[in-house]
Amino acid sequence: MKLSQFNFKLPKEQIALYPNSVYHEIKNEKGETETFRTTRRDECRLMVLHKKSGTIDMYKKDENGNPIEGEFILFRDVINYFDEGDTFIFNDTKVFPARLYGTKEKTDAKIEVFLLRELNEEMRLWDVLVEPARKIRIGNKLFFDDSSTMVAEVIDNTTSRGRTLRFLYDCPHDEFKRTLFALGESPLPRYIIDAREVPHATEEDMEDFQCIFAKNEGAVTAPATGLHFSRELLKRMEIKGVNSAFITLHCGLGNFHDIEVEDLTKHKVDSEQMHIGADACSVVNEAKAAGKRICAVGTSVLKATESAVGTDGMLKEYEGWTNRFIFPPYDFGLSDTMVTNFYHPLSPLLMSTAAFGGYDLVMEAYDMAVKNGYQFGCFGDALLILND
């Protein structure tokens, strides 16, 4: 397919800058009104797409099966579409505070440093992105705190914006990581940061931009669909007998890069590290063999499981990297249902969604989402794709 087939007009006011929230106004001691925000992860909207029947639902239904106009399906209602024994596959990667701000030696120029991954634990080597890149050359030193104790030296160029940094900080590795991460902030996507009144992440963002089941550190962006699951919803799923399996794919920045070719077969994506263990395989394969539904939670799970599914349709243990790029047409081997967010025009995440739900039907759902005020992006509303 062609890149231009995934373009559409998205009003900027429909790009979510915060997770679904409830706002409270409280009078302080001075009589002034202060506004507080409470995150409600599982109360965003949920659109439901039925692949085989070609129908799309936005509204809840009455006892006769008729849509109740104006009463939108919410994410917490996702449990109503699954039965005992059905299995959700989650990505339990954990986001670390990857965005730091430093100053360049001598000039005191302000530099943003985005940590990608640690290359060598003993030597304190990190693969990073820097902005503005034109100011940063091999041999430059960057200072990250007022006391000048956290210092890094640029030792190599990797890409136009990429650099290899060696941190000059002599202490045990665990202490170094704690100190480094204490200087960082939540790695919210630039489209969120740049659109906010204050172009910096807050302390609340580190919690909001993290799945409640996050466990294995290594992601520089959250597996966004997993953000909608609250502890209450997971408990309701457990009580109903819906199973959960956890795999790990450390989400990188590749899905935020512009695709520069019209022919999608020529696009190359960044590799991401992943792990699928025996426990996840056991839970998923037992459900699969029993004819139960397997639901991929997000495109990262879709990518990981399609990289590890066998020719027999069963999930295999996997340790390594994947650069799988999923776009229509694609023959899926494992999951038969999927829940995902609504994403930006020309996004690889939209392409993966269209491959799973069918291009025409998914683009129809996106058109309905735009017309009905759904929110898009990492903090946006969600789409459930059922194979019925």
Side-chain angles (χ1 to χ4, degrees):
M1 297 195 75
K2 303 300 182 183
L3 175 65
S4 55
Q5 291 177 265
F6 295 91
N7 201 7
F8 61 94
K9 187 175 181 180
L10 176 61
K12 65 180 181 179
E13 62 270 17
Q14 287 182 241
I15 299 173
L17 303 183
Y18 296 92
N20 185 76
S21 306
V22 174
Y23 293 86
H24 311 273
E25 291 188 348
I26 300 176
K27 297 282 188 180
N28 62 22
E29 294 178 352
K30 297 180 181 180
E32 300 168 334
T33 301
E34 295 183 355
T35 302
F36 295 89
R37 181 175 62 85
T38 303
T39 299
R40 298 286 179 85
R41 292 176 179 263
D42 59 9
E43 293 185 6
C44 71
R45 293 193 209 175
L46 178 70
M47 188 181 291
V48 182
L49 182 156
H50 304 268
K51 284 200 291 186
K52 289 183 179 178
S53 65
T55 57
I56 301 172
D57 297 329
M58 292 192 303
Y59 302 114
K60 296 180 181 180
K61 295 181 179 180
D62 60 23
E63 60 274 13
N64 297 317
N66 299 314
I68 305 173
E69 193 72 23
E71 192 169 333
F72 288 99
I73 302 169
L74 301 181
F75 190 86
R76 65 189 180 196
D77 299 320
V78 70
I79 192 174
N80 299 333
Y81 296 88
F82 293 89
D83 301 313
E84 182 178 356
D86 292 340
T87 297
F88 280 61
I89 308 177
F90 297 93
N91 183 2
D92 66 5
T93 187
K94 187 175 183 179
V95 177
F96 63 90
R99 182 174 282 116
L100 287 78
Y101 298 93
T103 56
K104 182 182 174 184
E105 64 174 342
K106 298 180 181 177
T107 67
D108 285 338
K110 302 298 181 184
I111 306 296
E112 178 184 304
V113 174
F114 195 98
L115 303 173
L116 295 177
R117 62 189 180 97
E118 191 171 32
L119 300 173
N120 186 294
E121 182 176 310
E122 183 178 353
M123 298 181 66
R124 308 284 197 267
L125 296 182
W126 279 78
D127 183 19
V128 307
L129 299 176
V130 294
E131 189 69 38
R134 66 183 184 280
K135 295 184 177 182
I136 302 301
R137 299 178 180 177
I138 295 174
N140 289 157
K141 288 184 179 178
L142 301 172
F143 297 86
F144 293 95
D145 57 4
D146 295 336
S147 62
S148 299
T149 55
M150 183 63 72
V151 184
E153 181 182 10
V154 181
I155 65 171
D156 197 10
N157 299 325
T158 54
T159 63
S160 60
R161 294 176 55 225
R163 303 290 186 270
T164 300
L165 296 187
R166 179 174 61 217
F167 285 90
L168 310 175
Y169 195 88
D170 187 18
C171 68
H173 183 260
D174 288 347
E175 181 184 338
F176 161 70
K177 287 281 287 290
R178 284 196 301 271
T179 305
L180 179 65
F181 286 177
L183 297 170
E185 65 178 37
S186 177
L188 292 176
R190 283 250 63 105
Y191 72 82
I192 291 178
I193 289 291
D194 293 343
R196 288 184 175 181
E197 290 184 9
V198 178
H200 286 284
T202 65
E203 290 184 13
E204 290 81 7
D205 286 318
M206 200 63 233
E207 180 178 352
D208 288 341
F209 200 53
Q210 190 83 272
C211 297
I212 60 170
F213 46 78
K215 179 181 179 182
N216 297 308
E217 184 180 273
V220 295
T221 187
T225 308
L227 296 175
H228 298 304
F229 287 85
S230 64
R231 288 179 174 82
E232 293 77 13
L233 177 55
L234 290 178
K235 189 63 178 179
R236 288 173 59 214
M237 291 169 58
E238 180 185 343
I239 292 171
K240 192 171 184 177
V242 176
N243 299 320
S244 298
F246 297 90
I247 60 95
T248 304
L249 183 139
H250 294 313
C251 304
L253 297 181
N255 289 321
F256 297 104
H257 296 162
D258 291 336
I259 297 178
E260 298 179 345
V261 291
E262 176 68 4
D263 183 354
L264 295 181
T265 62
K266 294 179 168 55
H267 177 61
K268 305 297 181 184
V269 300
D270 296 345
S271 293
E272 294 168 306
Q273 192 173 12
M274 58 171 281
H275 168 77
I276 296 178
D279 289 346
C281 292
S282 177
V283 172
V284 171
N285 292 338
E286 182 177 338
K288 182 88 170 179
K292 301 297 183 178
R293 280 173 291 188
I294 308 298
C295 181
V297 178
T299 57
S300 66
V301 168
L302 209 59
K303 178 189 292 188
T305 54
E306 286 302 308
S307 299
V309 66
T311 55
D312 58 354
M314 296 297 175
L315 189 62
K316 311 298 181 184
E317 293 181 52
Y318 190 101
E319 183 78 46
W321 297 74
T322 180
N323 63 350
R324 188 171 294 261
F325 176 35
I326 297 176
F327 62 93
Y330 188 94
D331 186 18
F332 289 89
L334 184 72
S335 301
D336 50 19
T337 62
M338 175 190 186
V339 60
T340 183
N341 278 27
F342 286 98
Y343 289 108
H344 288 66
L346 308 177
S347 167
L349 306 173
L350 164 57
M351 296 168 192
S352 296
T353 304
F356 192 87
Y359 172 80
D360 291 334
L361 201 53
V362 166
M363 296 309 291
E364 180 184 346
Y366 266 63
D367 183 58
M368 291 172 61
V370 171
K371 291 177 179 177
N372 287 275
Y374 281 66
Q375 294 288 290
F376 285 67
C378 294
F379 287 144
D381 293 315
L383 175 67
L384 172 63
I385 302 175
L386 298 173
N387 190 31
D388 60 9

